Amino acid sequence: MKNIRFVLVGTTHPGNIGAAARAMKTMGLSNLHLVQPKHYPSAEATARASGADDVLASAQVHDSLAEAIADCQHVYGMSARLRHLPVPVVNPREAITHIQQLPDTSEIAIVFGREHSGLSNEELDRCQYLINIPANPDYSSLNLAAAVQVLAYEIKMSFDPSITVGRIGEDREAIDAGDLEHLYSHFEQTLTTIGFLDPENPRNLMRRLRRLYNRADLDRNELQILHGILRAAETGGQDK
Ligand code: SAH
């Protein structure tokens, strides 16, 4: 992921540069290049980066796109409008699948255009691929930092999709088939004791209970609760 640089060309609003830095940092990316930003450095960029100022501080500023991508083997241009250019157009996921197949030593640039006018034809000519975020055809232009976020997220999802906060229920202790059998015999015994199950005429009660609890994906804690309820039912609530 370190070899993937995001290049913002001719950004007008410094706030968008800060928001782009934040979007990148949240997804573990930090390689930011700026080509002729209109106002930079800027307090507004730093404010909008809100904590991603390290990404801003290490951003390299260039006089031209040519300079920003000079050492890159693969250059992808982000375009909201699909011009009739002889350049292959892919969606972000397709682009990243392609990037993942490149050697680790490849330097890759993803180039974003100006807020009002996007990338010029001359700049697009320097791109081997165009990436289009498939958006609403009647309203397809994302805010610059939002487009950066979409790409950064797709990169993160392809390279490292692991969730960093604990998943709810992750500490559930699994039970096995033997535990379930023990539960079912406890059910059978208790339901007989309390007169709910007639051993002379059991019908399909135990089979239905099995179906119910087999579906339930019980964990050990839940299993213990059920055993506790059965014990309490058997003793008329004396043994909680
Ligand atoms: N009005 C400009 C778009 C400006 S949005 C135009 O029509 O070209 C600023 C930049 O965000 C674009 O240059 C492009 O790099 C990126 N972007 C916005 N929406 C996008 C989309 N749907 N697909 C790909 N890139 C997009």
Side-chain angles (χ1 to χ4, degrees), residues 53-210:
D53 15 359
D54 53 331
V55 175
L56 279 189
S58 64
Q60 294 181 41
V61 182
H62 305 272
D63 287 333
S64 66
L65 175 60
E67 186 186 303
I69 60 173
D71 57 333
C72 291
Q73 288 86 38
H74 301 274
V75 180
Y76 295 80
M78 295 292 297
S79 180
R81 277 178 299 153
L82 295 179
R83 293 156 240 237
H84 298 284
L85 293 170
V87 181
V89 181
V90 292
N91 68 35
R93 225 163 268 183
E94 289 165 339
I96 290 151
T97 304
H98 181 228
I99 288 172
Q100 282 191 304
Q101 287 156 7
L102 300 173
D104 287 349
T105 50
S106 305
E107 287 291 333
I108 296 137
I110 302 181
V111 184
F112 295 79
R114 297 159 189 81
E115 290 92 332
H116 294 293
S117 53
L119 292 166
S120 69
N121 285 335
E122 200 264 332
E123 288 157 350
L124 287 166
D125 285 344
R126 296 185 182 272
C127 301
Q128 291 143 331
Y129 288 89
L130 293 186
I131 303 177
N132 178 255
I133 299 168
N136 177 355
D138 300 324
Y139 190 72
S140 63
S141 174
L142 280 76
N143 163 268
L144 172 61
V148 167
Q149 185 76 75
V150 169
L151 254 282
Y153 176 68
E154 287 288 342
I155 291 169
K156 176 73 168 67
M157 280 299 284
S158 301
F159 283 85
D160 175 18
S162 56
I163 293 176
T164 48
V165 296
R167 286 183 204 248
I168 291 170
E170 211 167 44
D171 51 354
R172 296 174 75 217
E173 189 189 334
I175 58 168
D176 56 31
D179 293 316
L180 277 177
E181 282 312 311
H182 180 220
L183 175 69
Y184 298 140
S185 53
H186 195 176
F187 257 110
E188 199 163 0
Q189 174 206 317
T190 303
L191 295 180
T192 307
T193 308
I194 66 174
F196 194 83
L197 176 69
D198 178 1
E200 302 301 315
N201 184 20
R203 288 182 306 220
N204 273 329
L205 181 61
M206 282 316 300
R207 183 159 291 134
R208 288 192 182 282
L209 285 177
R210 277 176 180 271

